[in-house]
Amino acid sequence: MRRSLHATACRAAGFVTVLALGIAGARAAAPPPPVVSVVVVKPQKVYQQDSFIGRIQAAHIVNLVPRVTGYLEKRLFRQGAEVKKGQLLYVIEPGPYQAAFDQAKANVADAQATLDNAELTLERAARLLHTPAGQQSTYDDDKAAAESAAAKLQAAEAARETAAINLAYTQIRAPLDGRIGASTVNIGNVVGPNTGTLATVVSQNPMNIVFSMPTRDAIRLRQRLVTQGGLAGVVLRVKLPDGRMDRQEGTLDFTSNQISQSTDSLAMQGTIPNPVIKGLGNARTSDRELTSGEFVTVIVRSRTPEDKIVLPRDAVLADQVGDYVLTVGKDGKVARADVKLASTTPATATIASGLAIGTKVIVDGVEKVHPGVKANAKVIASPVAQG
């Protein structure tokens, strides 16, 4: 009986020993905490900005239309070239209008001579009026003749001015600096007021930017402008259709006094320089970055930066509750932090609230962890704010 109890006790002791060794082995085989990359939250200088779809619009667009009728004698420009204000572009056959002007000048000279003679006759009648040789009726007739001659002179001068204007209309000049389009009429054709547009001149520098801003964004912009000096506190940038950013900065000049009821948005307009692109030389193409009618992305950016928290865009996750990030605490445990976004770009996210300075946010390796587990945090450099 004692031997049996002893054997049982030995077997139990052996089982406990094996169990303890198994637990120790399991503990020794437990994997280390996963390595994740984190950034330490700190403020950066960030420009507040929003993007909208807009369109480039020339400040001035002028259609050249003939004011007189005649044969188109000359075209003195290269289609698509830039022209200067006052530059001669077309010449309409001037001969008939030159002749009409010369005739009008002669009529003015004749009317002037008639008036001079009538005034002399009136002067003699006035001297004789109080003498036996003078008659009131003669004086009255001479006075009427002088007044009639004066009126005829004014009519002749008006006709001369009309002839001069018509003669000037035979030369069509550029009304402003700009780029001229294609000519719609060939030399030798008869043109006139009913012909339509001969060509169009479009101003090139500066350009207008027209876009609409949703009412919600317009209210936020207005609140920002209160502390940033009004419209002067805003800078406009333009992203071109090929994805490049135009180098020039524009200004916001105008906001509509009514909100569109159909789109619940506010129309806005700005101005941006459009200088000649260096290096194009005499290339027969547009030598400026912006073209009237072009659709662009308009970036409305604050002129003065503010301190904001910026994270890589991939570090911000989202679920049914909202946006959040994963953080690593001092004890190495992973936790969830709900955040509110201010703005985002394809590369970065600006955090409006939800994170304290000094917090370690996981930016790489989020798929390895979840809230409650421990992680080995490796600190990397913070992203640079874009905009």
Side-chain angles (χ1 to χ4, degrees), residues 48-61:
Q48 294 190 33
Q49 65 180 40
D50 297 288
S51 300
F52 308 94
I53 299 300
R55 182 168 50 86
I56 300 300
Q57 185 180 78
H60 303 284
I61 300 176

Side-chain angles (χ1 to χ4, degrees), residues 352-375:
S353 62
L355 288 178
I357 303 301
T359 303
K360 293 180 180 179
V361 177
I362 300 176
V363 297
D364 188 24
V366 292
E367 72 281 355
K368 303 177 184 178
V369 296
H370 57 80
V373 304
K374 285 194 172 184

Side-chain angles (χ1 to χ4, degrees), residues 265-280:
S265 61
L266 193 65
M268 297 191 175
Q269 180 175 304
T271 304
I272 189 169
N274 190 29
V276 174
I277 301 173
K278 295 182 179 179
L280 282 182

Side-chain angles (χ1 to χ4, degrees), residues 12-28:
F15 176 75
V16 171
T17 301
V18 171
L19 180 62
L21 290 174
I23 294 173
R27 288 178 178 175

